[in-house]
């Protein structure tokens, strides 16, 4: 009898191979790194104690509002303006993810936010890519294998998406695998950037769109049907088109389309709990959507702001929703199937890393 339907321990979750599609580079800095750099450049912080700073970010992001949540990024972005600091932050990101058992990650950043001290967008992107390569090597020296690819974001409230999208295409063979738009959702519909998404499609380039997080179904509909998004960042508000009061649940036209077309949902439960979408993992729609066999994935969004990790997100699903090895393996395979790297490379990680490790660890 296989143990795949059993619940893993937290320690086993940590060792299981994980895939991460939605993590912001400026949302995952080590508190001590922020303090080190802030002191060097004279940036004022709420506190210079690492534990207190970590708690400041977490509690400031607990407001129930995406707009207030996003204000905390002023401090992380402030310490990512020099080339060497961007490289360091990206290197540490790769190392930290690898220590948590992540084997594949797509980490996103808006390069337009880190050019305040004179770096060009291209130099900012090159610093991120250099940091990831260094981090992969450092992880290897610690015995962890990870592949970290980059997604470039345009900020919805700025006018730079087209330039950033062109750079995503230019750097597509150097580690950039796709594009996204981030920032406040309400008032900035995806169709504002329609020309850019049409450009990316003409270039056969990959993109995901933050949609259905702080705003509902119209945002999801635009992202998929007008803009052609391959994946949805969050997408959690797709539940507005599902009637759970019936058994089985009744799906509307849009939620049926999302499920039928296997549109990947990059779900980030802790982040959603902080911005007011749900009050706990137990009540977050992730488990219900997984049961309905949507192509759900589990992600961190901002590890610093949510004081989280992939292991923690997964362990909470085990503890609060009775998720088993099988459930965790399914979201991991979903993530790899939905990754923006070439098909055979996705398959290779699924077949040679994920399946064998799940088989081994679940039989312990
Ligand atoms: O969850 C999010 N929704 C929308 N925008 C976000 C989220 N998390 C981070 N961002 C923004 C703030 C960052 O500065 C930017 C680039 O990573 O993306
Ligand atoms: Zn996000």
């Amino acid at each position: 009898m296989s143990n795949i339907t059993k619940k893993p321990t937290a320690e086993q979750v940590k060792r299981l191979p994980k895939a991460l599609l939605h993590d912001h580079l400026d949302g995952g800095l080590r508190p001590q790194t922020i303090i080190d750099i802030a002191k060097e450049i004279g940036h004022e912080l709420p506190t210079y104690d690492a534990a207190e700073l970590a708690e400041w970010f977490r509690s400031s992001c607990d407001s129930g509002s995406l707009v207030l949540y996003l204000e905390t990024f002023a401090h992380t972005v402030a310490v990512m303006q020099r080339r060497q600091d961007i490289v360091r932050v990206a290197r540490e990101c790769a190392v930290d993810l690898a220590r948590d058992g992540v084997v594949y990650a797509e980490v996103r950043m808006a390069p337009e936010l880190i050019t305040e001290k004179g770096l060009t967008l291209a130099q900012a992107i090159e610093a991120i890519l250099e940091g990831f390569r260094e981090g992969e090597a450092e992880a290897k020296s610690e015995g962890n294998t990870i592949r970290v690819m980059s997604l470039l974001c345009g900020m919805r409230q700025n006018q730079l998406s087209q330039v950033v999208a062109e750079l995503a295409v230019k750097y597509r063979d150097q580690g950039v695998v796709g594009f996204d738009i981030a920032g406040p959702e309400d008032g900035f519909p995806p169709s504002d950037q329609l020309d850019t998404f049409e450009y990316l499609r003409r270039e056969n380039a990959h993109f995901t769109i933050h949609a259905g997080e702080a705003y509902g179904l119209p945002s999801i509909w635009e992202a998929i049907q007008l803009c052609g998004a391959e994946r949805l960042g969050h997408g959690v508000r797709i539940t507005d088109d599902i009637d759970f009061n019936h058994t089985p649940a009744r799906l509307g036209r849009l939620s049926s389309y999302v499920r039928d077309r296997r549109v990947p949902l990059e779900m980030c439960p802790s982040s959603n709990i902080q911005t007011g979408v749900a009050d706990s993992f137990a009540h977050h729609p992730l488990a219900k959507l997984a049961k309905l066999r949507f192509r759900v994935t589990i992600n961190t969004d901002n590890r610093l702001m949510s004081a989280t990790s992939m292991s923690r997100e997964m362990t909470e699903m085990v503890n609060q929703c009775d998720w088993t090895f099988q459930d965790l393996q399914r979201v991991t395979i979903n993530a790899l199937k939905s990754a923006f790297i070439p098909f055979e490379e996705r398959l290779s990680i699924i077949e040679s890393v994920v399946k064998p490790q799940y088989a081994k660890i679940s039989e312990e």
Side-chain angles (χ1 to χ4, degrees):
M1 169 63 186
S2 161
N3 284 334
I4 198 86
T5 53
K6 295 237 166 78
K7 285 166 70 166
T9 64
E11 183 276 325
Q12 284 174 318
V13 170
K14 183 138 196 213
R15 283 186 289 125
L16 287 167
K18 291 170 276 290
L20 172 56
L21 300 181
H22 192 130
D23 186 82
H24 293 257
L25 185 62
D26 53 343
L29 283 75
R30 295 178 186 171
Q32 190 58 52
T33 298
I34 302 174
I35 292 167
D36 292 349
I37 302 172
K39 282 184 179 165
E40 279 179 34
I41 64 173
H43 174 78
E44 195 177 328
L45 291 173
T47 164
Y48 293 84
D49 175 87
E52 280 177 21
L53 187 62
E55 178 52 22
W56 179 87
F57 274 101
R58 197 202 55 72
S59 59
S60 304
C61 286
D62 259 349
S63 62
S65 147
L66 177 61
V67 172
L68 295 176
Y69 177 99
L70 292 175
E71 284 177 6
T72 62
F73 285 79
H75 291 297
T76 56
V77 164
V79 299
M80 293 176 66
Q81 300 298 334
R82 297 184 305 183
R83 195 190 123 71
Q84 69 268 30
D85 299 330
I86 301 170
V87 174
R88 173 178 175 179
V89 167
R91 171 171 51 78
E92 292 176 351
C93 167
V95 169
D96 291 351
L97 293 177
R99 285 179 186 164
D100 191 42
V102 175
V103 296
Y104 177 79
E106 291 176 7
V107 177
R108 61 190 72 195
M109 182 61 201
E112 69 203 62
L113 298 176
I114 47 176
T115 55
E116 271 168 28
K117 288 216 174 117
L119 290 182
T120 62
L121 289 170
Q123 286 169 332
I125 294 164
E126 285 170 22
I128 294 170
L129 296 173
E130 184 178 324
F132 288 154
R133 299 296 80 79
E134 284 183 11
E136 287 170 341
E138 190 175 326
K140 190 108 212 143
S141 73
E142 295 182 350
N144 301 317
T145 302
I146 185 169
R147 181 163 177 201
V148 183
M149 308 309 282
S150 171
L151 301 180
L152 301 184
C153 303
M155 297 307 291
R156 312 173 94 104
Q157 67 275 35
N158 299 344
Q159 309 301 321
L160 284 164
S161 285
Q162 180 61 31
V163 185
V164 175
E166 285 169 22
L167 287 164
V169 170
K170 181 171 175 204
Y171 284 88
R172 71 199 317 178
D173 296 322
Q174 273 94 56
V176 176
V177 294
F179 178 81
D180 169 41
I181 51 170
E185 191 176 358
D186 196 359
F188 300 98
S191 55
D192 282 358
Q193 330 267 348
L194 187 55
D195 291 351
T196 295
F197 296 123
E198 285 177 346
Y199 159 78
L200 287 167
R201 288 156 78 184
R202 283 199 299 277
E203 292 292 340
N204 303 303
H206 298 289
F207 59 93
T208 174
I209 297 182
H210 273 84
E213 177 188 16
Y215 198 71
L217 295 175
S219 176
I220 295 179
W221 178 82
E222 282 200 5
I224 297 171
Q225 306 300 13
L226 289 187
C227 302
E230 282 173 71
R231 310 192 309 229
L232 292 172
H234 297 277
V236 62
R237 297 283 298 274
I238 196 67
T239 50
D240 293 357
D241 195 42
I242 303 173
D243 183 353
F244 288 101
N245 291 321
H246 284 86
T247 315
R250 284 193 190 149
L251 275 61
R253 298 259 183 228
L254 180 59
S255 56
S256 294
Y257 186 93
V258 166
R259 186 171 69 167
D260 291 344
R261 301 296 306 157
R262 318 304 299 138
V263 176
L265 304 177
E266 304 162 0
M267 311 210 85
C268 312
S270 284
S271 169
N272 291 162
I273 290 167
Q274 287 182 295
T275 58
V277 175
D279 62 7
S280 65
F281 277 76
H283 295 142
H284 189 276
L286 174 55
K288 283 201 275 189
L289 291 169
K291 240 189 199 112
L292 288 173
R293 297 298 303 270
F294 279 78
R295 187 177 275 184
V296 292
T297 65
I298 188 162
N299 301 277
T300 46
D301 207 11
N302 298 294
R303 287 169 288 118
L304 173 66
M305 285 72 185
S306 297
T308 199
S309 63
M310 277 298 279
S311 291
R312 179 172 168 276
E313 297 298 298
M314 289 183 147
T315 301
E316 290 299 331
M317 291 308 292
V318 171
N319 292 342
Q320 297 193 39
C321 302
D322 292 327
W323 271 26
T324 63
F325 281 104
Q326 191 168 44
D327 295 310
L328 296 178
Q329 178 172 254
R330 182 172 284 151
V331 291
T332 305
I333 291 176
N334 279 349
L336 285 161
K337 281 181 176 171
S338 314
F340 287 159
I341 50 170
F343 174 67
E344 69 275 14
E345 295 172 23
R346 292 182 246 157
L347 275 193
S348 153
I349 302 173
I350 294 171
E351 297 301 333
S352 64
V353 183
V354 175
K355 287 185 178 172
Q357 284 299 313
Y358 265 82
K360 180 164 164 276
I361 295 172
S362 65
E363 289 307 324
E364 283 171 355

